[in-house]
């Protein structure tokens, strides 16, 4: 029996992966903020005969307290982690600040993955084939890191914030093995492309209606989208870090994966977390 921690495991792709793992006999800890979604997930787990293998952890991963509570609860609950899946997202059309003073998308979509991923390497390294599976947008739409204003005090748009988080995750991925020499962990950056989820719900109109229509026409169903992801998690690449757009490998070249920028981002992130 393998054990998976999935942030954003109560809806969309994260939930699809979690139910897949439960159905085949594995153990799941799913993190989200909404207790009703947590309850619905546990009800589905019961229908699969997996009630004793499914756990819902309520935590707001836009906050440092929430990130740390997930780390502490996981360490207290399991002795080994085989897979850590990052699948949280919540589009913010307007700039919002978390109680820690971070821009919301930066905190939820990047910082939580930095904090939780680095903290749980010990538990992951107890597995024979541990994987960190980071769902974001490698090789997708362009975007940039606003090095002089990463908290986007100026000129905020929800799209810029999401794309900045994706670029940060690219650098987090290539940097990760360098921070944990000798680790067995394989770090996979994965772009699922367009999948039918509740992703569009927080968008303002008319973008919401447009995105939902496009999703209805073009996006993959979650049960289909998770098939290549499960393959990747079960058979991780031999390299310490790799990136994929669905099944297509993405070369780790160019500025999105630049190691000097990865160093810079690691330093900047450590500074932001210093003393907190
Ligand atoms: N869907 C796509 O087309 C697409 C395309 C490219 C990349 N991706 C990536 O794939 C991943 C999954 O996307 P999705 O479309 O499946 O998302 P989704 O359906 O919107 O689900 C988001 C998940 O994140 C959780 N979440 C949101 N805010 C949270 C917070 N503050 N703290 C803790 N959990 C929180 C939600 O739970 P609660 O509601 O309970 O908080 C939910 O479980 C994301 O990383 C996304 O960037 C998706």
């Amino acid at each position: 029996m393998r054990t998976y921690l999935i942030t954003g495991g109560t809806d969309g792709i994260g939930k699809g992966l979690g139910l897949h793992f439960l159905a085949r006999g594995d153990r799941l800890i799913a993190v989200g903020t909404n207790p009703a979604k947590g309850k619905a997930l546990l009800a589905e787990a019961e229908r699969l005969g997996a009630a004793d293998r499914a756990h819902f952890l309520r935590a707001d991963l836009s906050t440092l307290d929430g990130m740390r509570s997930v780390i502490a609860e996981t360490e207290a609950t399991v002795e080994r982690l085989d897979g850590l899946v990052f699948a949280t997202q919540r589009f913010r059309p307007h700039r919002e600040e978390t109680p820690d003073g971070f821009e919301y998308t930066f905190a939820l979509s990047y910082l939580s993955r930095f904090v939780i991923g680095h903290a749980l390497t010990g538990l992951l390294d107890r597995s024979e084939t541990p994987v960190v599976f980071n769902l974001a947008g490698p090789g997708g739409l362009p975007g940039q890191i606003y090095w002089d204003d990463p908290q986007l005090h100026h000129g905020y748009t929800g799209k810029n914030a999401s794309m900045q988080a994706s670029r940060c995750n690219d650098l987090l991925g290539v940097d990760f093995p360098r921070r944990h020499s000798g680790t067995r962990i394989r770090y996979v950056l994965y772009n699922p492309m367009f999948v039918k989820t509740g992703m569009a719900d927080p968008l303002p109109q008319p973008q919401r209606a447009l995105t939902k229509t496009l999703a209805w026409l073009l996006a993959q169903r979650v049960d289909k989208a998770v098939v290549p992801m499960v393959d990747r998690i079960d058979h991780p690449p031999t390299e310490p870090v790799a990136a994929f757009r669905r099944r297509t490998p993405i070369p780790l070249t160019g500025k999105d994966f630049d190691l000097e920028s990865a160093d810079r981002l690691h330093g900047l992130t450590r500074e932001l977390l210093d003393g907190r």
Side-chain angles (χ1 to χ4, degrees), residues 6-16 31-38 56-63 70 86-92 104 108-109 112-113 134-138 162 166 169 190-202 215 219-220 222 229 246:
I6 306 186
T7 69
T10 57
D11 208 347
I13 297 169
K15 181 179 182 181
V31 184
T33 58
N34 183 334
K37 288 187 191 177
F56 166 58
L57 251 181
R58 186 180 181 190
D60 180 352
L61 292 181
S62 70
T63 69
V70 167
F86 292 125
T88 49
Q89 71 159 3
R90 177 92 7 106
F91 186 82
R92 287 293 191 242
Y104 184 90
L108 176 66
S109 296
S112 71
R113 298 170 190 217
N134 188 340
L135 279 145
S162 303
S166 262
N169 278 305
Y190 190 92
N191 183 344
M193 306 297 282
F194 201 10
V195 184
K196 256 176 230 161
T197 67
M199 180 180 66
D201 292 343
Q220 263 192 333
V222 168
M229 301 185 206
R246 291 196 179 151

